[in-house]
Amino acid sequence: MSLKKRLEEMNTDKKSLKFVEKEVDPYLNLKMSIQNRVISELDIDFKDISEDNEELKEDIKYIIQKHIEQESLNMTNHQKNKINEELLNEIIGFGPITGLLRDEQVTEIMVNGPYQIYIEKNGKLMLTDAKFKDNNHVMHVIKKIVAPIGRRIDESSPMVDARLPNGSRVNAIIPPLAIDGPSITIRKFSEDPFQVDDLINFGTINSKMSQLLKYCVEGHLNIVVSGGTGSGKTTTLNVLSSFIPDSERIVTIEDAAELQLSQSHVIRLETRPANVEGKGEITIRDLVKNSLRMRPDRIIVGEVRSGETLDMLQAMNTGHDGSLTTGHANSPRDMLSRLETMVLMSGMNLPIRAIRDQVGSAIDLIIQQSRLMDGSRKITHITEVQGMEGDVIILQDIFKYEQRGLDSNNKVKGEYVFTGVMPSFIEKLREQGVTIPQDIFY
């Protein structure tokens, strides 16, 4: 659909626009008039819009500047430049959140309706001055995000997961489900993915723990990264993936592609929602099953949430060692319970003992990640899954983060400690040709 038609949709709520003009933006009518003319002259389509399209950007800048000068209004150069920038953001960017997307210190953007935009910066939530014109304006930006990747959002399908060109993850939900207006949540990811040294500098992990994890990935251990929402699981999964040798064939499976692997032999798979008729949906489970026919050396599932967990465990137990995934849980033990529950969601009527046997033999390591009260993110446990003993899966912590209270700036104090128990998988790694230096544990 052309941008011109989308703009017509935005202009339908005149009453709301007049209110915003009076209360927020004295140049709203001018900007909308110029925007209409720019779009009319260029007849832009969503698929042509990109911040990398320098030729289009220059054309838009020229036309905007021409029309601003034609208005001959009594404006300062600062005001003219501000209008120019806002119009360019509106046409080729994502409106009032464009600047927030460019700010490298902003890690999350939360649009709670048109007049309330929060961000997460340095681990803290804060309200911004940015605002949309009205609900139609927010809808316009949502459709601008989802259209290039073939997703849709409307009353019949009022929720959508998508991604931005830079890999940032987007969730949008609209009325009637979102009572106070369309809502957008954007989890930003660095265009240059974080490396393990970055996590060490952030204090997320220490150097000895990072060395251990590197050997575990190289030695084809099956690893689950566990944590709550916003704890940094995907970032850690991306760092773990960077330890996979370049010679291996990797298949990644995600709802919205976020992983940024540097290896040369990577096949990226992404789920697909149902169409207007409710048909054509491709789930994580479908892709996990299909990936087994693609001769993978590694299978990386962005997150397990449901019945695909059974297929993932079976893959781990049938020769696809070295697989990686993430899951929502508050502790390593809680992660095991979540895995059992998700296996039951597959529809297979399996006894709990059989499920625990599958989990205990498939998973080698659980990495627990948490977002602490000061906003910092820490890997709080590296825990080995040692198998079954009776009806219970035995867990053994290898490294832990021990909190020591708060400092004078209300920052969490603590240290990473080795528990004193040597992991039993050392022999398994040695069989893979990976020898762990003993000084890691002392």
Side-chain angles (χ1 to χ4, degrees), residues 184-417:
I184 310 172
T185 307
I186 301 175
R187 175 75 54 79
K188 289 176 60 182
F189 295 99
S190 173
E191 294 189 27
D192 296 319
F194 289 131
Q195 303 299 317
V196 66
D197 289 341
D198 296 311
L199 296 192
I200 294 172
N201 293 333
F202 296 153
T204 302
I205 194 172
N206 70 15
S207 58
K208 290 191 174 184
M209 294 162 67
S210 70
Q211 291 177 59
L212 174 64
L213 295 181
K214 181 174 184 292
Y215 290 126
C216 289
V217 173
E218 291 177 346
H220 287 79
L221 295 191
N222 294 318
I223 300 174
V224 176
V225 182
S226 167
T229 301
S231 60
K233 299 186 299 297
T234 302
T235 298
T236 297
L237 181 64
N238 213 71
V239 169
L240 293 176
S241 302
S242 70
F243 297 144
I244 298 174
D246 195 58
S247 59
E248 298 189 24
R249 176 176 169 87
I250 307 167
V251 178
T252 69
I253 301 168
E254 301 173 87
D255 275 327
E258 299 166 5
L259 295 173
Q260 300 167 286
L261 274 64
S262 60
Q263 291 88 339
S264 58
H265 199 167
V266 179
I267 299 90
R268 304 169 73 206
L269 306 180
E270 187 177 62
T271 61
R272 185 180 71 187
N275 60 19
V276 180
E277 291 79 27
K279 299 178 180 179
E281 181 183 17
I282 304 296
T283 66
I284 289 278
R285 188 171 191 187
D286 297 327
L287 295 178
V288 170
K289 290 178 179 178
N290 188 79
S291 70
L292 301 177
R293 306 184 187 101
M294 299 174 69
R295 197 247 173 244
D297 290 309
R298 308 270 186 158
I299 300 172
I300 302 175
V301 178
E303 183 180 338
V304 287
R305 297 191 185 97
S306 186
E308 69 274 0
T309 304
L310 176 60
D311 303 284
M312 184 77 183
L313 293 173
Q314 289 177 334
M316 291 174 171
N317 277 321
T318 54
H320 296 89
D321 291 333
S323 297
L324 308 171
T325 190
T326 74
H328 277 83
N330 296 321
S331 69
R333 177 63 63 184
D334 186 33
M335 188 69 246
L336 293 182
S337 299
R338 291 272 297 140
L339 289 171
E340 291 177 17
T341 301
M342 290 186 284
V343 169
L344 291 171
M345 293 169 69
S346 68
M348 298 291 288
N349 189 20
L350 297 173
I352 290 296
R353 172 62 197 242
I355 295 174
R356 289 180 181 170
D357 278 336
Q358 285 272 344
V359 172
S361 58
I363 307 298
D364 296 303
L365 202 66
I366 296 175
I367 300 169
Q368 182 66 37
Q369 187 144 347
S370 299
R371 184 174 181 271
L372 305 184
M373 61 179 297
D374 63 352
S376 62
R377 294 167 171 86
K378 305 285 186 185
I379 290 178
T380 57
H381 298 77
I382 296 180
T383 302
E384 180 183 14
V385 181
Q386 295 186 326
M388 295 287 291
E389 187 172 295
D391 291 332
V392 179
I393 300 175
I394 303 302
L395 297 180
Q396 177 60 58
D397 294 333
I398 303 170
F399 282 96
K400 293 175 63 178
Y401 180 75
E402 294 188 351
Q403 293 191 41
R404 310 279 193 231
L406 302 176
D407 63 17
S408 58
N409 296 318
N410 286 324
K411 295 291 185 181
V412 172
K413 293 192 301 182
E415 63 178 337
Y416 295 102
V417 296

Side-chain angles (χ1 to χ4, degrees), residues 72-281:
S72 300
L73 296 175
N74 186 23
M75 288 189 294
T76 65
N77 285 332
H78 173 74
Q79 289 170 323
K80 290 179 181 179
N81 291 335
K82 189 171 185 295
I83 289 175
N84 196 322
E85 180 183 358
E86 288 176 355
L87 281 171
L88 190 64
N89 287 343
E90 192 61 55
I91 296 170
I92 208 164
F94 298 103
I97 62 173
T98 304
L100 302 176
L101 288 166
R102 292 173 180 159
D103 188 338
E104 294 183 357
Q105 291 185 307
V106 174
T107 54
E108 196 144 5
I109 302 169
M110 291 146 278
V111 178
N112 305 335
Y115 313 121
Q116 192 181 71
I117 302 176
Y118 280 88
I119 59 171
E120 182 187 67
K121 196 170 187 176
N122 300 321
K124 296 293 184 181
L125 291 181
M126 56 188 73
L127 181 65
T128 71
D129 295 329
K131 289 180 174 63
F132 287 86
K133 299 182 185 76
D134 57 14
N135 285 342
N136 289 325
H137 192 190
V138 185
M139 284 296 300
H140 169 75
V141 170
I142 292 174
K143 291 176 180 178
K144 197 173 185 181
I145 291 171
V146 303
I149 60 172
R151 301 288 170 97
R152 67 185 181 89
I153 187 165
D154 50 40
E155 284 193 8
S156 64
S157 181
M159 297 182 292
V160 68
D161 288 312
R163 66 179 185 278
L164 296 177
N166 66 1
S168 297
R169 183 173 67 206
V170 181
N171 174 268
I173 183 167
I174 65 173
L177 302 186
I179 297 171
D180 297 321
S183 174
I184 310 172
T185 307
I186 301 175
R187 175 75 54 79
K188 289 176 60 182
F189 295 99
S190 173
E191 294 189 27
D192 296 319
F194 289 131
Q195 303 299 317
V196 66
D197 289 341
D198 296 311
L199 296 192
I200 294 172
N201 293 333
F202 296 153
T204 302
I205 194 172
N206 70 15
S207 58
K208 290 191 174 184
M209 294 162 67
S210 70
Q211 291 177 59
L212 174 64
L213 295 181
K214 181 174 184 292
Y215 290 126
C216 289
V217 173
E218 291 177 346
H220 287 79
L221 295 191
N222 294 318
I223 300 174
V224 176
V225 182
S226 167
T229 301
S231 60
K233 299 186 299 297
T234 302
T235 298
T236 297
L237 181 64
N238 213 71
V239 169
L240 293 176
S241 302
S242 70
F243 297 144
I244 298 174
D246 195 58
S247 59
E248 298 189 24
R249 176 176 169 87
I250 307 167
V251 178
T252 69
I253 301 168
E254 301 173 87
D255 275 327
E258 299 166 5
L259 295 173
Q260 300 167 286
L261 274 64
S262 60
Q263 291 88 339
S264 58
H265 199 167
V266 179
I267 299 90
R268 304 169 73 206
L269 306 180
E270 187 177 62
T271 61
R272 185 180 71 187
N275 60 19
V276 180
E277 291 79 27
K279 299 178 180 179
E281 181 183 17

Side-chain angles (χ1 to χ4, degrees), residues 384 386 396 398 418-426 438 441-442:
E384 180 183 14
Q386 295 186 326
Q396 177 60 58
I398 303 170
F418 170 55
T419 62
V421 179
M422 299 292 285
S424 60
F425 55 66
I426 289 179
Q438 292 300 298
F441 303 109
Y442 298 101

Side-chain angles (χ1 to χ4, degrees), residues 9-50:
E9 294 179 1
M10 289 175 58
N11 291 335
T12 56
D13 193 349
K14 298 295 185 182
K15 183 178 179 181
S16 177
L17 289 179
K18 288 179 181 177
F19 171 79
V20 176
E21 177 188 357
K22 179 180 177 182
E23 297 294 326
V24 179
D25 189 353
Y27 298 108
L28 178 60
N29 282 342
L30 171 66
K31 289 193 291 186
M32 291 192 64
S33 173
I34 295 175
Q35 184 174 329
N36 274 324
R37 282 179 267 175
V38 171
I39 293 170
S40 177
E41 289 184 35
L42 292 178
D43 193 24
I44 307 169
D45 199 319
F46 277 129
K47 61 182 176 58
D48 301 320
I49 295 174
S50 167

